[in-house]
Amino acid sequence: MLPFGPAAWTFISVYLLSLILVGWLGYKARKENNLSDFYLAGSGFGFIVLVLTLYATQYSGNTFFGYTGKTYRIGFSWVMCVQFMTAIIVCYLFYAPKLYKLAKHEGFITPTDYLQFRFNSKVLNLIATIIMVVVLGNYLLAQLMAMGRAMQGLTAGDPDQAYMYGVILLTMIMVIYGTLGGIRAVAWTDVIQGIVLMIGFFLLLFVLYQKYGPISLATEMIYQSTNEAIREKSAMPDANRLREWLSYILLVGFAGALYPQAIQRIYAARSAKVIRQSLAFMAFLPLTTSLIAVICGIYAIANLPGMEGVSSDQIFTRLLADVQANSTFGYWLVVILFSAALSAMMSTADSALLSISSMLSKDVYGGFINKDATQEQLTLVGKLCSWCLVLFLVWLAIYLQDKASLLQLLDRKFDLLIQMVPAFMLAIHFKFIKPGPIILGLIIGVFTALVIAYGGFEMVKGGKLYGFHPGLYGLCLNILIVLVGSRFDKSRF
Amino acid sequence: MLGSVIVYLVLFTLAIPWYWPEDESRLLWGLPIWVTFSIFISILISTYTAYLLLKFPWPGEDKES
């Protein structure tokens, strides 16, 4: 537990209230009451806003808590996270240039708008929307639960109550500014949150160096540890780990580039030049963000031994508690770092929520239920969807508090999302690809991934088959069906 | 496009430390040498990606200006 006093609480409260103020400013800045204005801010994002909103959206609480914890468990090999986060930017190059041009010309608002344009298939639209909503819903749920756990670490009171109030309070703040100001509010709060994140990561490195010395010292301590389990964390990765390394690069690279909220930020850019400059900047951020989280984990291995088996998010909190020291400087650094962690979670959650509401309102309600709905009606439906979804997910986050294993069962988002690769990254280049094989490939790919993941096979260890994620096997079949099927599909399209 | 794909294949192949000896234990700049080298390759991947993004306009971009 981090002992935060009244001054720290005041700082955090002012920070959170400023987000609602930004939401109100976003509401005042709206130009029209339509989907394009609410979800894309009229496609007017400049470089600073775009880069910070992409940054804040992409790097979540998982970067702080999950990556530090993962490094603590497996050691130096987790440096693979730097490559797979960079791979996301590389994979944008496969389709973003053409998609941006199309989006500007055709006025796309959701990822499904592209699918409708390219394939004109209601079945595909529905399946794709379901997959993306499930993926984002899981992602959003994970952020809500992380917010609850963060509050548990902040307070001295009953941990269950702290968790519950943390989930409720932080989620309400997020949905208020999100429904007030739409993507403007989300992006402007991302600017604040992105700056706090960037400062937070560099401060973290500085604080760790002050407390524990240079990284070389931590490495030497690990190398010379009398505990074999600790020494092993510095060892060369074995063959299975190397396959896993490749698998992560492929899975996260391709699937991460297809996150709906990232696609919508591409739509929202003022110009292609702005996106190119933003992505060029983003290409270096894994080296400043993910790598720092790995370094945190290495310091933790050397200086906080014996926490194996503890859930990953506690490693980061424990590090913060350890560096808080007895100085005012250390205390305030940790307050800022915690604000940065909250920023990371909220900025990721608000983007996921907004993207889900856009798909539910435009693609589901407007596409299937009320095709004559006006823009104002669709925008209102989007806001209502946000509130309903959030109420459900808050309940689920509180219900699942102690059922982490169940949450892990849900954590297949990349294995599902990667099945969209043929529809987005292949079909945008190859005109011979037809909707029928795309639909069949998508279904078979998802089915294969889920069967491998949940089939209870002996060869599946740590959720992977011979080191590779189930989604990659599904994708191989998926691509084969799409390419061969399209060649032999005689339907006119 | 094909050239870029080949460059990325080479870089990502080098980023994964499969080619170092199993008992490699040397340090470089405070980290195991295979980790430092992997980070160095990551820097190259980021730099090359930024080069591609900044140097080459996207389709239809000249019509925007």
Side-chain angles (χ1 to χ4, degrees), chain A residues 46-272:
Chain A
F47 171 71
I48 300 286
V49 172
L50 188 63
V51 96
L52 286 171
T53 188
L54 278 170
Y55 173 59
T57 299
Q58 193 157 92
Y59 292 92
S60 69
N62 195 43
T63 312
F64 282 95
F65 295 97
Y67 287 11
T68 306
K70 186 79 174 187
T71 307
Y72 189 86
R73 286 197 304 280
I74 75 169
F76 289 85
S77 294
W78 194 241
V79 75
M80 68 177 80
C81 68
V82 178
Q83 280 120 39
F84 68 62
M85 291 306 287
T86 312
I88 295 174
I89 311 299
V90 173
C91 287
Y92 280 130
L93 293 176
F94 283 113
Y95 79 108
K98 284 193 176 177
L99 180 64
Y100 177 77
K101 183 183 173 190
L102 268 177
K104 280 297 166 199
H105 192 258
E106 303 293 329
F108 295 161
I109 293 179
T110 64
T112 314
D113 285 340
Y114 157 74
L115 296 176
Q116 170 61 28
F117 170 82
R118 175 65 177 83
F119 299 106
N120 193 24
S121 165
K122 291 289 183 201
V123 172
L124 176 59
N125 292 353
L126 186 62
I127 296 173
T129 301
I130 290 171
I131 289 174
M132 287 187 284
V133 168
V134 165
V135 163
L136 284 181
N138 167 267
Y139 198 33
L140 178 52
L141 179 62
Q143 300 311 306
L144 300 191
M145 294 182 72
M147 293 191 306
R149 285 196 288 272
M151 292 306 271
Q152 269 184 322
L154 273 178
T155 60
D158 177 82
D160 290 341
Q161 282 216 333
Y163 178 87
M164 187 174 73
Y165 287 127
V167 170
I168 292 171
L169 175 70
L170 294 174
T171 308
M172 287 305 112
I173 290 173
M174 185 188 75
V175 80
I176 286 170
Y177 71 70
T179 50
L180 261 182
I183 199 169
R184 271 196 194 82
V186 165
W188 290 351
T189 54
D190 283 350
V191 169
I192 299 170
Q193 288 160 344
I195 292 170
V196 174
L197 261 178
M198 280 194 187
I199 293 172
F201 271 111
F202 281 107
L203 280 179
L204 184 57
L205 205 54
F206 171 73
V207 158
L208 289 172
Y209 181 84
Q210 285 250 305
K211 174 80 182 174
Y212 299 120
I215 190 66
S216 54
L217 185 59
T219 306
E220 287 287 354
M221 288 168 69
I222 296 168
Y223 263 44
Q224 283 155 27
S225 172
T226 52
N227 184 329
E228 192 186 337
I230 290 179
R231 284 201 311 275
E232 266 178 17
K233 293 177 186 180
S234 62
M236 274 288 300
D238 62 17
N240 195 62
R241 182 74 75 205
L242 290 172
R243 285 193 296 269
E244 199 179 281
W245 195 310
L246 174 62
S247 184
Y248 267 110
I249 290 174
L250 292 170
L251 185 84
V252 179
F254 283 106
L258 288 173
Y259 264 131
Q261 66 273 36
I263 294 175
Q264 287 175 299
R265 271 154 181 75
I266 290 172
Y267 292 170
R270 185 177 301 158
S271 68

Side-chain angles (χ1 to χ4, degrees), chain A residues 127 131 412 415-416 419 439-455 457 470-471 473-475 477-478 481:
Chain A
I127 296 173
I131 289 174
R412 286 288 151 206
D415 295 296
L416 297 181
Q419 307 309 326
I439 293 169
L440 185 62
L442 191 54
I443 293 170
I444 299 292
V446 167
F447 179 75
T448 304
L450 293 177
V451 163
I452 293 173
Y454 299 123
F457 301 109
Y473 293 95
L475 180 64
L477 267 181
N478 185 347
I481 290 168

Side-chain angles (χ1 to χ4, degrees), chain A residues 416-470:
Chain A
L416 297 181
L417 201 49
I418 202 172
Q419 307 309 326
M420 306 291 296
V421 161
F424 279 90
M425 295 189 186
L426 293 184
I428 204 164
H429 297 291
F430 303 115
K431 300 300 173 202
F432 75 91
I433 291 177
K434 305 245 174 45
I438 283 281
I439 293 169
L440 185 62
L442 191 54
I443 293 170
I444 299 292
V446 167
F447 179 75
T448 304
L450 293 177
V451 163
I452 293 173
Y454 299 123
F457 301 109
E458 263 185 53
M459 309 89 78
V460 176
K461 292 181 171 47
K464 300 175 197 69
L465 178 61
Y466 303 120
F468 290 98
H469 292 81

Side-chain angles (χ1 to χ4, degrees), chain A residues 76 79 83 86 90 93 97 100-101 216 219-220 223 235-237 242 245-246 271-273 275-276 279-280 283-284 291, chain B residues 8 15-18 20-22 25 27 30-32 34-35 38-39 42 46-47 49-50 53-54 56 58-59 61 64:
Chain A
F76 289 85
V79 75
Q83 280 120 39
T86 312
V90 173
L93 293 176
Y100 177 77
K101 183 183 173 190
S216 54
T219 306
E220 287 287 354
Y223 263 44
M236 274 288 300
L242 290 172
W245 195 310
L246 174 62
S271 68
K273 188 175 176 186
I275 307 177
R276 289 194 291 113
L279 292 178
F284 292 97
L291 183 56
Chain B
Y8 278 123
I16 303 171
W18 56 273
W20 293 94
E22 217 173 281
S25 61
L27 297 186
L31 295 168
W34 55 272
V35 174
S38 188
I39 294 169
S42 293
S46 298
T47 307
T49 304
L53 282 161
L54 294 174
F56 300 103
W58 283 5
E61 198 171 322
E64 281 184 347

